[in-house]
Amino acid sequence: TQAVAAAEHHTSGEIVTIVTDLSDHYNDIGLAWASVAAFLALSIYAVFPEFYLGIVDGIFGGWGHEYTAGEYVAMIFVAMALKWIGTWLIMKWMPLRLALTPKHIKMNRVRARAISMFKVGTEAKTVGRTGVLLYLSMKEHRAEIVADEEIAKLVTPEVWGDAMVALLDHVKAGRPGEGMAAAVTQMGLVLAQHFPKGSENPNELPDRLIEL
């Protein structure tokens, strides 16, 4: 809050800060891995049928049996269903689900959530359309800066690089609060350069950190 107030003291820009534990639950990723595991299991059953039929015979007391085509299909579908359910239950453990989620998917989901939060609480909420959002998603280890229309015209995404570095360096060291404050300071320098404080500069957006 102090960092935002200090940064906005020299600019007509308005900084909003949001931190969240997780931007998406990635349920579709868990379902996808469960399906992959089930079809891999099907492939393995097809390559080594005698091995798995031996396991089935052992379960039923070791008595050999000539299976019909229908029984083969039923056993395969039961085995695939069990594999799918087992993998899906394992994938409900969020650290594993996040680890198995491709990096570009996490990046896109965090970006989408940041834009969504920006549209709700920052976009066009200032007279000069000079709001900017700093969004941090902890478990994905991702951060985004989304700027309103007038800022985006003058400031390219690369200009926010120093702010992102300042933020992520502190986050990696276990100091997310300090990281947010350091990033806000760097963002204030950029805003002051392009949008210096005018004679009238109402505080139109909250300075406090919003935790989701």
Side-chain angles (χ1 to χ4, degrees):
T1 300
Q2 293 173 354
V4 171
E8 292 179 353
H9 184 70
H10 302 286
T11 176
S12 60
E14 293 281 330
I15 300 172
V16 175
T17 56
I18 296 179
V19 63
T20 186
D21 189 49
L22 190 66
S23 291
D24 191 274
H25 290 288
Y26 304 96
N27 291 318
D28 57 325
I29 301 300
L31 296 174
W33 276 107
S35 300
V36 168
F39 280 103
L40 284 176
L42 175 62
S43 301
I44 295 173
Y45 300 152
V47 175
F48 305 105
E50 290 81 7
F51 174 77
Y52 289 100
L53 287 174
I55 293 176
V56 172
D57 288 338
I59 292 173
F60 290 101
W63 294 94
H65 175 68
E66 289 295 327
Y67 297 101
T68 66
E71 289 173 329
Y72 278 122
V73 171
M75 286 191 294
I76 289 173
F77 274 102
V78 168
M80 288 180 64
L82 291 174
K83 180 65 70 173
W84 192 96
I85 293 171
T87 305
W88 177 73
L89 289 173
I90 292 171
M91 289 296 295
K92 289 181 73 68
W93 187 45
M94 185 55 70
L96 178 62
R97 195 186 307 174
L98 281 172
L100 293 179
T101 299
K103 184 177 179 181
H104 73 277
I105 292 179
K106 289 188 283 190
M107 181 175 65
N108 290 339
R109 300 281 172 91
V110 171
R111 178 68 178 174
R113 184 78 188 285
I115 291 173
S116 175
M117 293 295 99
F118 171 77
K119 289 181 178 297
V120 170
T122 307
E123 185 178 34
K125 295 296 190 297
T126 60
V127 173
R129 298 181 75 91
T130 55
V132 58
L133 170 67
L134 174 62
Y135 178 88
L136 173 64
S137 193
M138 293 296 294
K139 286 187 177 177
E140 288 98 339
H141 305 143
R142 294 287 308 175
E144 294 286 345
I145 294 176
V146 188
D148 214 337
E149 181 180 350
E150 293 303 314
I151 297 176
K153 288 180 181 178
L154 300 177
V155 182
T156 62
E158 293 76 18
V159 175
W160 304 115
D162 289 342
M164 296 297 284
V165 169
L167 170 60
L168 295 177
D169 282 348
H170 281 285
V171 171
K172 290 175 183 177
R175 300 187 300 270
E178 290 88 338
M180 293 289 279
V184 164
T185 299
Q186 293 296 325
M187 292 167 68
L189 295 176
V190 173
L191 292 173
Q193 178 182 353
H194 296 281
F195 300 93
K197 184 176 180 179
S199 57
E200 293 186 7
N201 187 35
N203 191 13
E204 300 169 277
L205 297 175
D207 292 348
R208 65 179 180 83
L209 176 67
I210 299 170
E211 297 181 78
L212 303 179

